[in-house]
Amino acid sequence: MTALQHVKLGAYYVAHLPEPDDFDFWRERARALVQCEVPPDRVAWVEPGGSGDLFAHGERRMPVPPADARPVRANWRFVSLAKNAILHSDSERFALLYRLLWRLQANPRMMEDKADPDVRRVEELARNVRRDSHKMHAFVRFRLVESEDEEVGDHYVAWFEPEHHILRANAGFFMRRFANMRWSILTPGGCLHWDGETMSEGPPAQVSDAPHGDPMEDLWRTYYASIFNPARLKVGAMLKEMPRKYWKNMPEAALIPGLIAGAQGREATMVEEGSLEFEDRPDTLDGIDRAIHACRKCPIGALDNHAVMGEGPQDAALMIVGEQPGDQEDLAGRPFVGPAGQLLDVHLENAGIERRRAYVTNTVKHFKYVQRGKRRLHQNPQAREIDTCRWWIEAERAIVKPKLVLAMGASAARGILGRTVSISKVRGSPIPLDDGSELWVTAHPSYLLRLDGAAREQQARLFDADLAVVRERLRELAA
Ligand code: URA
């Protein structure tokens, strides 16, 4: 009997998945079933530990598609959602995906129907899984297990309770991030072990298998308390991002209630006293240059980077301010020499502004990045880091005394004003500054670099228009 005849006689298939997260296995079975025209209500999908006995009479051998079976249609959107959704803990997920795949054969545009209950459900499952992975990246905390044996070395162990079957899918993330550590992540569904070279898997663990508390936790708590910014505390948003159920495995969580309670008092004290304790402000550009190299007032200064000092004439009428040095600026020790700087040069020339007559600098003095393999990827500075670094840009302004400051991008504007402004709202008009100079705000050239086509042309025109106004204003101020 052929597979199709078998199906027509009302066969009922039971597909046993060897692993709860095995997309390739599901896909292979699902394709064969579609090609043999087995409708969704004639298939049961059973995951390990699932109730397979209910389907004792089902056919366990999968049907073999006929040689002339039509190819199975599955578009990119379906496959990318399915790869995530299959990691969900909902036992109905395999059946849902099969139903979608089945329906896709008759209606290839079905995934575009946002009102379809199956489409909505698979999107919801995929969203839940992405969120669970995001929480895992953020809340796994390793504890040190010291080893007497120097050859073996220290071992870092974390306990985590994911809601879905995301452990294996996230192995690569932790391997890249903690490539040089020997670590294990224990979960109730299985374990991952990395020895610096190979990844292996282990059976489910219990919370008692994981260590609790180690000397690193004190360090981590101290660090967390020091970066905690009471002025930016939003309790609702914080609880949404860091749900209470994760707190028990996070050393810093023990501090949270106390920090929240103390936040208002600390905010008032910060405002009153000024939150920074710097030495006297240097009164020469050389002095600032020396001091920023030693500055460790925020975590950016502690990265493997160099401070980049502003450059240009000390009596420049125009000060151009960027966000922070990039990779190339960090290596060259000069601001705006990389791709954003080259684009800036083109637009300055279009506007008739001579860069060599301007003082060019950044609001944050060090390059903030994350290491990805050999590459250092730019990270936006946080408001608190910009506010800390204001000390230096104010020192530069006090010496250069520009008549006009051009801030490129929101970070630069915050560095000058101490508050966040929307570029689209403030561009095109001057903002008076306390020392009698004026601030003009425009977009950052890196923003133009990230666009293409019509959007880039439009932003480039706005940028040119802002620079043309600045050039005219400089002429008026010089007259
Ligand atoms: N981006 C900036 O904001 N500053 C630089 O110096 C380079 C790129």
Side-chain angles (χ1 to χ4, degrees):
M1 199 169 3
T2 67
L4 282 184
Q5 286 164 332
H6 201 143
V7 171
K8 287 197 180 110
L9 287 177
Y12 194 92
Y13 289 93
V14 184
H16 282 267
L17 288 116
E19 301 281 351
D21 58 351
D22 196 338
F23 178 75
D24 291 337
F25 185 92
W26 173 86
R27 175 158 64 183
E28 194 197 312
R29 296 293 181 279
R31 279 169 182 268
L33 288 161
V34 166
Q35 289 187 314
C36 293
E37 299 176 26
V38 181
D41 62 356
R42 306 304 300 166
V43 188
W45 299 90
V46 182
E47 61 184 307
S51 42
D53 290 350
L54 287 179
F55 309 103
H57 304 302
E59 178 67 61
R60 280 159 193 257
R61 261 174 316 143
M62 285 292 112
V64 180
D68 59 351
R70 273 194 299 185
V72 176
R73 298 177 200 229
N75 58 24
W76 172 85
R77 172 133 186 85
F78 170 77
V79 175
S80 67
L81 283 170
K83 280 186 173 169
N84 261 321
I86 212 140
L87 308 181
H88 203 280
S89 49
D90 181 350
S91 60
E92 291 299 309
R93 64 195 181 282
F94 306 109
L96 168 73
L97 291 173
Y98 185 62
R99 200 159 58 240
L100 277 164
L101 186 66
W102 174 263
R103 292 178 58 206
L104 262 176
Q105 307 313 302
N107 178 6
R109 306 196 61 175
M110 193 192 64
M111 296 308 292
E112 291 163 33
D113 182 356
K114 297 283 171 206
D116 184 282
D118 283 346
V119 174
R120 289 171 67 150
R121 180 66 183 146
V122 77
E123 285 177 343
E124 186 186 359
L125 297 190
R127 204 167 38 247
N128 295 160
V129 166
R130 282 197 303 274
R131 195 170 159 76
D132 204 26
S133 291
H134 170 74
K135 300 288 177 223
M136 183 174 181
H137 297 176
F139 301 141
V140 158
R141 294 285 179 268
F142 288 102
R143 269 117 180 155
L144 176 64
V145 181
E146 272 163 310
S147 162
E148 307 276 282
D149 180 346
E150 276 191 12
E151 290 223 338
V152 176
D154 293 336
H155 186 190
Y156 294 84
V157 182
W159 170 253
F160 189 71
E161 293 169 51
E163 278 183 34
H164 306 294
H165 303 287
I166 58 166
L167 182 65
R168 193 177 286 143
N170 284 291
F173 172 88
F174 287 95
M175 187 183 80
R176 285 188 295 279
R177 176 165 284 190
F178 301 105
N180 301 324
M181 265 164 58
R182 195 161 74 90
W183 55 257
S184 297
I185 300 179
L186 315 187
T187 83
C191 301
L192 286 178
H193 306 285
W194 171 251
D195 65 5
E197 278 174 15
T198 39
M199 184 76 75
S200 56
E201 293 184 12
Q206 294 179 349
V207 64
S208 53
D209 297 333
H212 285 274
D214 69 48
M216 262 179 54
E217 296 202 346
D218 290 338
L219 273 178
W220 176 248
R221 279 199 199 96
T222 312
Y223 171 72
Y224 186 79
S226 74
I227 60 160
F228 179 85
N229 183 355
R232 297 186 63 219
L233 180 64
K234 291 198 176 73
V235 177
M238 186 177 103
L239 288 176
K240 188 159 165 254
E241 276 309 303
M242 199 197 272
R244 275 183 206 278
K245 68 176 183 171
Y246 296 106
W247 288 20
K248 58 182 184 293
N249 297 316
M250 296 167 58
E252 69 271 34
L255 298 172
I256 292 172
L259 289 172
I260 292 176
Q264 282 179 332
R266 277 186 64 201
E267 181 180 5
T269 319
M270 274 169 66
V271 171
E272 239 170 59
E273 296 175 356
S275 57
L276 305 174
E277 296 148 25
F278 281 100
E279 305 292 302
D280 286 345
R281 184 178 273 170
D283 52 10
T284 62
L285 292 177
D286 278 349
I288 299 177
D289 195 2
R290 276 194 300 278
I292 58 175
H293 280 85
C295 183
R296 299 288 179 270
K297 293 288 179 190
C298 78
I300 311 180
L303 294 173
D304 186 11
N305 53 17
H306 310 97
V308 176
M309 179 63 185
E311 67 177 20
Q314 184 164 330
D315 58 353
L318 171 64
M319 177 179 273
I320 300 178
V321 185
E323 181 195 66
Q324 61 166 330
D327 184 59
Q328 299 201 23
E329 286 77 15
D330 177 59
L331 298 174
R334 292 183 51 213
F336 281 106
V337 293
Q342 286 155 21
L343 187 64
L344 173 65
D345 289 347
V346 170
H347 286 276
L348 287 175
E349 200 173 327
N350 288 348
I353 297 174
E354 285 184 87
R355 172 168 170 165
R356 65 182 180 85
R357 297 184 61 184
Y359 184 87
V360 180
T361 190
N362 282 300
T363 190
V364 169
K365 300 301 181 205
H366 285 88
F367 173 38
K368 180 173 178 182
Y369 65 90
V370 283
Q371 192 80 41
R372 285 280 175 276
K374 291 195 175 144
R375 296 178 61 213
R376 299 190 297 173
L377 301 185
H378 166 277
Q379 296 276 286
N380 292 328
Q382 291 174 356
R384 182 184 165 87
E385 290 157 349
I386 297 170
D387 294 348
T388 303
C389 230
R390 280 189 83 207
W391 176 259
W392 301 121
I393 188 89
E394 287 187 347
E396 282 175 293
R397 277 179 56 212
I399 295 166
V400 179
K401 300 194 178 61
K403 293 192 170 119
L404 195 155
V405 179
L406 174 65
M408 300 189 301
S411 299
R414 187 180 175 104
I416 303 296
L417 290 170
R419 66 189 160 87
T420 298
V421 289
S422 143
I423 295 176
S424 59
K425 287 203 184 124
V426 297
R427 74 191 309 171
S429 319
I431 301 174
L433 297 175
D434 288 350
D435 62 355
S437 63
E438 54 193 55
L439 170 69
W440 292 73
V441 179
T442 187
H444 193 286
S446 303
Y447 172 57
L448 306 192
L449 285 176
R450 288 196 297 272
L451 301 172
D452 43 33
R456 176 143 171 191
E457 277 173 29
Q458 189 204 7
Q459 287 302 323
R461 273 198 298 277
L462 289 175
F463 193 52
D464 282 339
D466 287 343
L467 294 183
V469 174
V470 163
R471 183 205 52 223
E472 282 315 304
R473 189 66 192 131
L474 282 169
R475 285 192 183 146
E476 285 168 16
L477 292 169

